[in-house]
Amino acid sequence: MGERWARVALVLVSHSRALAEGTAEVAAQMAPGVRIVPAGGLDNGGIGTSFDRVEAAVHDAAADGRAVVVLTDLGSAVMTTESVLEAVDPDLAERVRLADAPFVEGAVAAGVTAHGGGDLEAVLASAHDAGGTFAGFTPGGADAAARDGVAGSDGAPVTDADGVVRASAVVRNRLGLHARPAAVLARALAGYDARVRVNGANGASVLELMKLGAGQGARLEVVGEGPQAAAAVQRFVSAVEDGFGEE
């Protein structure tokens, strides 16, 4: 397998070429190490899904032995993809999974997990989890947590007697915890053997970090568990305090 790409690729099947290519562009910004192949529209540029285009995209994505997660937008895109998977070589079909997930959010979440080194099942799970990401979303939730005193004290991470690592940090950059830093943080945490929660959200999920709505001045409570929790929490806090390298 080439070193350029992660071991799991994505295929994005949409009725619209523009939608497939645009979603691939957004996901690639979050996950530059992942092969993402759009397969949108018909060969004449019209709206619809093409068996040949989807088949070619699956072969492209699966080159060099990669596994593939396919995301689709509407019903017939699912049927076209299923037809392709029935027709391709069984060895290839075994390496491909069709996700039941929102098109854009699922592509971003799956891409970040793949970039972080996740295997086929982990990438598929991230796509599926994206479906529930915005349930119960409260804009500005991170700021509310700070006002309510939920977050811990600033400073170096501390470890409880039970091994749980806790720290807090204040968002310093002007744009807050937006898409780019959320993706960077989620990819970074994926490399640690640790479970990190940020104001109750999964720190390894780009979508859950984004939904915190953490603007400049928001306090983030970071809690880590697992063998590498201290390093993971420190990495997260340092990135926040550095302003994610932004102004």
Side-chain angles (χ1 to χ4, degrees):
M1 181 182 296
E3 297 179 356
R4 171 71 175 82
W5 303 112
R7 56 180 170 166
V8 181
L10 304 181
V11 169
L12 308 182
V13 181
S14 170
H15 285 64
S16 164
R17 179 179 299 185
L19 178 56
E21 293 179 347
T23 302
E25 182 180 12
V26 170
Q29 286 288 318
M30 311 288 184
V34 179
R35 179 74 177 134
I36 302 173
V37 185
L42 300 173
D43 292 339
N44 62 5
I47 296 297
T49 54
S50 160
F51 180 99
D52 291 341
R53 293 174 69 85
V54 175
E55 182 181 39
V58 169
H59 279 284
D60 182 343
D64 297 325
R66 287 185 292 271
V68 179
V69 170
V70 182
L71 293 107
T72 59
D73 57 0
L74 301 174
S76 59
V78 176
M79 290 187 288
T80 300
T81 301
E82 290 175 339
S83 297
V84 168
L85 296 182
E86 290 175 358
V88 300
D89 186 276
D91 291 339
L92 171 57
E94 185 64 25
R95 290 188 279 125
V96 181
R97 298 288 187 276
L98 178 57
D100 181 11
F103 193 62
V104 177
E105 291 86 351
V108 170
V112 170
T113 298
H115 184 103
D119 62 15
L120 177 59
E121 296 307 321
V123 174
L124 183 65
S126 285
H128 290 168
D129 289 346
T133 298
F134 295 100
F137 170 52
T138 301
D143 301 289
R147 288 195 304 271
D148 295 341
V150 174
S153 301
D154 292 337
V158 295
T159 304
D160 294 347
D162 57 3
V164 176
V165 181
R166 302 178 188 277
S168 68
V170 175
V171 177
R172 302 181 188 280
N173 64 313
R174 182 171 56 86
L175 297 178
L177 186 52
H178 60 92
R180 189 196 65 79
V184 170
L185 289 169
R187 296 199 308 255
L189 292 182
Y192 291 96
D193 185 6
R195 299 178 300 281
V196 177
R197 309 287 297 178
V198 182
N199 285 13
N202 179 4
S205 168
V206 59
L207 297 180
E208 290 197 30
L209 289 176
M210 290 170 62
K211 84 171 185 177
L212 289 175
Q216 187 179 42
R219 183 186 300 277
L220 302 178
E221 181 186 26
V222 188
V223 180
E225 298 178 86
Q228 296 182 307
V233 170
Q234 183 59 65
R235 174 72 176 274
F236 189 97
V237 169
S238 295
V240 174
E241 292 182 339
D242 288 344
F244 313 111
E246 300 176 343
E247 62 180 63

